[in-house]
Amino acid sequence: MEKKHIFLIGFMGSGKSTIAHCLYKKYGLLQLDMDKYIENEEGRKISSIFEQEGEAYFRGLETEFLKKLDQKEMFVISCGGGVPMNERNVQEMKKKGIIVLLHANPATIYQRVKNSHHRPLLEGNMTEEYIGKLMEQRSSVYDQVADVIVKTDNRSAEEISAEILEKTKIQGE
Ligand code: S3P
């Protein structure tokens, strides 16, 4: 029988990888990080892919990942923040699982990402204002495509993970 994945979507720094890891540690759900998978396949970092090939090439890799994804085992998949902006990706995620949006305010996001330097879209744009603007461009799409929305501001990974399981009706170990 084909299994349904959980796709964690949301802005950079919304906690997708952290929550996927918590769902693995606490409930034994298998974790798959889309950016890490792409980096392994390509043998280089996301920032090098952007620099050497451009953003469009990277977006193509995201779509390829989703198209290739089989459903033999269920995974919690932390998606890159731009994934839902492509309709093709949304179709693929809807077909293969449940889309869970992790929501956080720009101020929270800024605090979480301000000291990291692996996100090409934020390099040179590391301000709360820029984050707010980019989030504005994306949030209506995020909201529309999500099957489940979970707020993450000022909440622990454990609380958020428990709410995801409750809302998706998926049972961990
Ligand atoms: C991106 C988000 C990043 C990564 C790339 C582009 C985006 O992933 O895929 O830098 O367009 O929002 P995270 O959301 O895991 O930071």
Side-chain angles (χ1 to χ4, degrees), residues 97-156:
I98 304 172
I99 303 181
V100 176
L101 169 63
L102 299 184
H103 179 272
N105 294 322
T108 305
I109 298 283
Y110 175 67
Q111 288 307 320
R112 290 181 186 159
V113 301
K114 66 179 182 188
N115 296 319
S116 58
H117 294 286
H118 61 276
R119 296 183 175 94
L121 296 183
L122 295 181
E123 278 309 285
N125 295 314
M126 196 59 92
T127 63
E128 192 181 318
E129 197 196 353
Y130 180 81
I131 288 168
K133 276 201 190 130
L134 185 55
M135 197 185 284
E136 230 175 81
Q137 291 168 24
R138 290 182 171 184
S139 56
S140 65
V141 173
Y142 284 174
D143 288 347
Q144 257 172 45
V145 306
D147 297 307
V148 166
I149 300 178
V150 178
K151 291 202 181 290
T152 69
D153 296 289
N154 304 314
R155 299 182 72 197
S156 70

Side-chain angles (χ1 to χ4, degrees), residues 12 16 35 46 50 58-59 62 80-82 119-121 138:
M12 294 172 266
K16 294 160 292 186
D35 281 347
I46 303 289
F50 265 69
F58 172 71
R59 298 301 174 195
E62 291 182 319
R119 296 183 175 94
L121 296 183
R138 290 182 171 184

Side-chain angles (χ1 to χ4, degrees), residues 1-17:
M1 199 180 77
E2 289 193 330
K3 304 272 172 46
K4 291 247 173 212
H5 302 297
I6 293 182
F7 294 98
L8 297 181
I9 65 161
F11 203 80
M12 294 172 266
S14 56
K16 294 160 292 186
S17 309

Side-chain angles (χ1 to χ4, degrees), residues 16-40:
K16 294 160 292 186
S17 309
T18 306
I19 299 303
H21 188 61
C22 184
L23 285 165
Y24 167 67
K25 273 190 84 175
K26 274 207 83 173
Y27 303 101
L29 301 180
L30 297 178
Q31 173 185 12
L32 187 51
D33 186 285
M34 201 187 284
D35 281 347
K36 283 204 186 115
Y37 179 93
I38 289 173
E39 286 182 339
N40 282 342

